[in-house]
Amino acid sequence: DAGITQSPRHKVTETGTPVTLRCHQTENHRYMYWYRQDPGHGLRLIHYSYGVKDTDKGEVSDGYSVSRSKTEDFLLTLESATSSQTSVYFCAIWTGNTEAFFGQGTRLTVV
Amino acid sequence: KQEVTQIPAALSVPEGENLVLNCSFTDSAIYNLQWFRQDPGKGLTSLLLIQSSQREQTSGRLNASLDKSSGRSTLYIAASQPGDSATYLCAALYSGGGADGLTFGKGTHLIIQP
């Protein structure tokens, strides 16, 4: 699993509340990614980071923000959660030999 | 827009059969292609990575091929077992620098009947 830990693993939150998901890696890789996985859509890129404080938007970034203040941590924040953000969120890292590894996922339900 | 397509979306075969899963991509300028396995409620497990300069990779009963000119990759599973039942995803990396991440297909849901 390349030392990737996501927290929390499950969360239920109410519409309009802020939510932060955490991805932690132990192997000092430069690139980190946040994806969401939904039935019928597959995995889609939300945001990615190519270094400390260096981030960029992916395909479905609206309503999400990210931060990376340390190499090992990449945070995904839903500023004001909506029901459309109910999904499974995956963090991934990209190693030096171009292989990608994924965390175990966070199942988020917005009610 | 770069797209990755997997056919079939679902497949059910008896145990012991050899099978092929297909993946097609729209842009031949890929950097690499990676195959993953996902069990229900779980994360993605990397199976095989094929660099753009390679034509195939093998791991145990799995063999993945890459044909950039035709925009296709195949995952061959030999002597299938019930434990192979899972969703198989292919993903293309289009940027050598890691930007934009992987573009995923929607997966093939595989069931191996005992």
Side-chain angles (χ1 to χ4, degrees), chain B:
Chain B
K1 179 183 177 183
Q2 297 146 344
E3 291 186 358
V4 176
T5 304
Q6 291 187 249
I7 295 173
L11 181 64
S12 181
V13 301
E15 179 179 4
E17 283 199 5
N18 302 323
L19 56 98
V20 174
L21 307 182
N22 296 295
C23 173
S24 62
F25 45 92
T26 56
D27 188 344
S28 63
I30 64 169
Y31 192 74
N32 65 40
L33 190 132
Q34 195 167 353
W35 283 91
F36 295 88
R37 167 185 173 139
Q38 186 175 29
D39 293 290
K42 305 294 185 182
L44 280 69
T45 300
S46 179
L47 296 174
L48 289 165
L49 170 73
I50 311 176
Q51 304 278 10
S52 61
S53 59
Q54 299 173 323
R55 293 194 62 85
E56 66 179 88
Q57 283 286 332
T58 298
S59 176
R61 293 182 295 108
L62 305 180
N63 176 275
S65 68
L66 176 64
D67 185 343
K68 289 177 58 180
S69 61
S70 66
R72 293 182 60 188
S73 177
T74 60
L75 180 67
Y76 175 83
I77 303 176
S80 58
Q81 303 170 358
D84 295 329
S85 298
T87 296
Y88 290 80
L89 298 160
C90 73
L93 181 68
Y94 284 100
S95 170
D100 298 333
L102 293 162
T103 301
F104 279 86
K106 294 182 180 178
T108 294
H109 181 55
L110 176 64
I111 297 174
I112 307 299
Q113 306 156 10

Side-chain angles (χ1 to χ4, degrees), chain A residues 29-42:
Chain A
H29 294 295
R30 180 183 175 193
Y31 283 89
M32 299 183 74
Y33 307 85
W34 278 107
Y35 290 84
R36 60 178 289 175
Q37 185 176 37
D38 304 287
H41 291 280

